[in-house]
Amino acid sequence: MLEKGLGMTIHSVGIIGAGTMGNGIAQVVAVAGFKTVLLDIADEALKKGMASLTSSLERLVEKGKLDPNVRDAALSRIETSTDYDQLANVDLVIEAATENTELKMCILRQIETVVRPGAVIATNTSSISITRLGAALTDASRFIGMHFFNPVPLLPLVEIIHAVQTSASTVESVRELTVRLNKSPIVVKDSPGFVVNRILVPMINEAFFVLAEGVATAKEIDAGMRLGVNQPIGPLALADLIGLDVCLSVLDVFLTDFGDPKYRACPLLRELVAAGKLGRKAGHGVYTYD
């Protein structure tokens, strides 16, 4: 059992990775009033990420869900950079790179070389062991998992995952920050897939098996789960939204870490990923998008 501790109040946040998750996290952090540093390896990636972030804010303004002044203030709080040294004075750095263990560990080591001793280091991962990633750091007591959900500006949940090494004060600091971001945190222990993906991704995988076996069409499968189980989006459409490559990666982690064949990815899912049909971000997956 993790004992409660008094956490540090976080005032500034760095995010590494300007992709879908990274720019979504940056948007939420900036709108909540925090100084934000968005970092990526290339200026082009930063421009693309900021364009997506700005477009997301514009849609919220158009729908009357965000005041234009709040939008402008949020954008003014965001600094972009390709230089890790710009993270030297932030209170928290969230790594939001591709779901790859070696890449994430490399980035975490780079973060540790530039941030101040009291800064918290977090990773946004959907399945990789926080304890394993924390082993890359000299001081893993300040390391934690923050699993945001896509689309980040709209979905309220954040899974806060404590590793074996994570201190109670780190957990409390991140839990308190999550509330200030107007998100709803749940604190869970480190286990493959944590809570949501442990339940969700095997369900998505089973939907692919049903599709591959010709039991029903993709539209019928999704309609069945929407109308019969009251899900807002069917599992195959959700897989396209998440990214088929991400779903496959999570399943492969489950299969390796649990050693249980029930987590074997459906061959159809693996074939679609191999063909580059990754879902909405690629323009086609189970469905085709404009």
Side-chain angles (χ1 to χ4, degrees), residues 36-162:
T36 308
V37 178
L38 181 60
L39 188 142
D40 209 304
I41 58 172
D43 287 326
E44 189 60 36
L46 289 168
K47 289 178 183 176
K48 184 176 180 181
M50 284 302 299
S52 178
L53 187 158
T54 303
S55 176
S56 175
L57 289 173
E58 290 293 346
R59 287 195 298 272
L60 291 174
V61 170
E62 290 169 3
K63 293 177 180 178
K65 295 182 178 180
L66 189 70
D67 187 280
N69 293 326
V70 175
R71 171 203 59 200
D72 295 342
L75 289 170
S76 72
R77 295 187 189 104
I78 302 173
E79 172 190 344
T80 61
S81 180
T82 58
D83 184 359
Y84 273 76
D85 287 341
Q86 296 305 308
L87 303 172
N89 296 314
V90 301
D91 299 321
L92 164 69
V93 179
I94 303 171
E95 171 274 313
T98 304
E99 197 77 347
N100 177 285
T101 301
E102 289 71 27
L103 173 62
K104 285 182 178 290
M105 292 179 84
C106 179
I107 292 172
L108 292 171
R109 291 189 190 99
Q110 286 182 270
I111 294 170
E112 193 173 41
T113 64
V114 297
V115 296
R116 57 186 180 77
V120 175
I121 302 174
T123 179
N124 177 68
T125 176
S126 55
S127 62
I128 300 173
S129 167
I130 307 302
T131 299
R132 183 186 306 164
L133 292 175
L137 301 175
T138 302
D139 178 13
S141 67
R142 59 174 171 168
F143 180 64
I144 197 165
M146 291 185 75
H147 181 205
F148 291 82
F149 290 78
N150 184 33
V152 179
L154 301 182
L155 295 185
L157 180 66
V158 177
E159 285 181 314
I160 298 174
I161 309 104
H162 61 84

Side-chain angles (χ1 to χ4, degrees), residues 20 98-100 126-127 201 204 208 238-253 265 269-282 284-285:
T20 300
T98 304
E99 197 77 347
N100 177 285
S126 55
S127 62
V201 177
I204 289 173
F208 274 98
L238 180 57
D240 274 355
L241 178 61
I242 294 169
L244 302 194
D245 53 335
V246 175
C247 293
L248 179 59
S249 174
V250 172
L251 285 164
D252 285 343
V253 168
L269 172 59
R270 201 172 290 280
E271 287 171 4
L272 288 171
V273 172
K277 296 184 176 183
L278 308 181
R280 284 180 180 268
K281 61 187 174 184
H284 46 110

Side-chain angles (χ1 to χ4, degrees), residues 167-178:
S167 71
S169 61
T170 298
V171 173
E172 183 56 27
S173 293
V174 171
R175 189 204 63 77
E176 190 256 351
L177 169 73
T178 303

